[in-house]
Amino acid sequence: MSKKIYLYGNWKMNNTYSETEKFFAEFPAVYEPLKNDSNLEVGIFAPFTSLWPLSQGAKKCGIVFGAQNVYYEPKGAFTGEISIPMLKEYDVTHIILGHSERRHIFGESDELIAKKVKAVLDAGMTPVFCYGETLEERESGSTFTVMERQLKSAIKDLLPEEISKIIYAYEPVWAIGTGKTATPDQAEEVCGWSRKLIGNEKVVILYGGSVKGSNAKELLNMKDIDGALVGGASLKPASFLEIYTAFKN
Ligand code: PGA
């Protein structure tokens, strides 16, 4: 039996409401040949303002959909933030947390991200927890120290059954949006190491960082990589789904 692949698209700050409608005008035809493949789970994570057309399109196609961030408090004086109950009204089930752009551009700390992970789990939703090292950290040999800090901070107060519900995404910062992919061996090394640190061999671990049709097969064939978190290539249905087709063929 071949393994199940998670193909998750992180649109980042791309695709407006109307562009999301256009995406879903094209998506069903491209997805048609894959939609009954039980070894594939497709998910899309859109900006908040595109969640309505995303939810409508995703429900019709039977794919997972979610948001790219959330605040951990349920309501109150937090100008500019979005809460979990707000997302629940859109039937959101999955939320990306700790993406490197949140960490490095918006200064989110390990502590803040851990609170978000806990709140999302408490709400019965699935956190897609991102972690990974910068180029400087890799070159100075601190890759594993940094990732150990990021991972441990997110899971240290969680029960084993909560830890197993998180979807983990290893995204080396130097490979995101740069066209520079981690080699399959580099990605596999970290994903295998992460499983041991998390203490659960069965958790879902994705790789993210410039994944596209041309490099998908070798990455997704790695034993410890369960799928891909895709930025740039997820913005068009064809380049997105090509990643799975390339893996299968
Ligand atoms: P990329 O982004 O595929 O454009 O490198 C991946 C991500 O940041 O999730």
Side-chain angles (χ1 to χ4, degrees):
M1 207 188 82
S2 52
K3 68 174 180 179
K4 178 169 175 179
I5 294 289
Y6 294 76
L7 180 61
Y8 281 4
N10 171 16
W11 281 356
K12 310 192 178 185
M13 199 174 73
N14 295 293
N15 281 344
T16 63
Y17 190 111
S18 61
E19 286 163 349
T20 303
E21 288 179 321
K22 277 194 206 108
F23 180 95
F24 278 101
E26 283 171 38
F27 184 84
V30 189
Y31 186 48
E32 184 62 31
L34 304 176
K35 77 167 192 228
N36 295 319
D37 188 332
S38 56
N39 282 326
L40 172 65
E41 178 171 308
V42 175
I44 294 179
F45 298 78
F48 296 126
T49 50
S50 300
L51 282 177
W52 178 250
L54 171 67
S55 70
Q56 298 308 294
K59 282 179 191 174
K60 275 197 198 113
C61 303
I63 63 169
V64 166
F65 63 94
Q68 302 169 7
N69 187 24
V70 77
Y71 196 57
Y72 63 87
E73 292 285 2
K75 62 177 179 178
F78 303 103
T79 301
E81 292 298 312
I82 297 280
S83 73
I84 291 170
M86 290 170 184
L87 295 180
K88 278 210 149 170
E89 287 198 357
Y90 285 73
D91 297 331
V92 164
T93 51
H94 289 55
I95 306 178
I96 295 178
L97 296 171
H99 189 279
S100 67
E101 286 146 20
R102 300 292 329 162
R103 293 176 188 270
H104 299 295
I105 304 175
F106 301 102
E108 289 199 12
S109 64
D110 289 327
E111 292 69 30
L112 175 64
I113 296 161
K115 284 186 181 158
K116 293 182 177 193
V117 168
K118 177 69 178 140
V120 167
L121 285 167
D122 285 348
M125 298 160 99
T126 305
V128 179
F129 170 78
C130 304
Y131 63 102
E133 82 287 7
T134 62
L135 184 59
E136 210 180 19
E137 289 160 347
R138 178 160 280 262
E139 285 175 346
S140 68
S142 53
T143 298
F144 292 95
T145 321
V146 169
M147 289 189 307
E148 185 167 342
R149 193 199 71 224
Q150 293 175 340
L151 275 166
K152 280 196 173 158
S153 144
I155 65 175
K156 69 178 186 320
D157 297 324
L158 302 179
L159 301 167
E161 57 267 34
E162 293 177 311
I163 291 173
S164 69
K165 284 186 189 132
I166 299 173
I167 293 181
Y168 300 82
Y170 168 52
E171 298 208 311
V173 181
W174 48 272
I176 296 177
T178 57
K180 222 173 164 185
T181 329
T183 65
D185 288 335
Q186 280 173 326
E188 172 71 3
E189 183 190 20
V190 173
C191 293
W193 169 89
S194 305
R195 260 177 229 291
K196 292 200 181 74
L197 186 98
I198 294 163
N200 180 338
E201 289 289 318
K202 293 210 185 79
V203 289
V204 174
I205 306 184
L206 316 181
Y207 166 76
S210 302
V211 179
K212 45 187 182 291
S214 56
N215 57 29
K217 195 177 173 84
E218 39 176 7
L219 284 163
L220 296 179
N221 264 320
M222 288 289 165
K223 178 174 86 43
D224 283 310
I225 301 179
D226 297 306
L229 184 56
V230 185
S234 71
L235 296 175
K236 295 273 177 278
S239 54
F240 184 38
L241 295 176
E242 185 197 352
I243 291 170
Y244 185 68
T245 317
F247 161 71
K248 287 299 266 186
N249 295 329

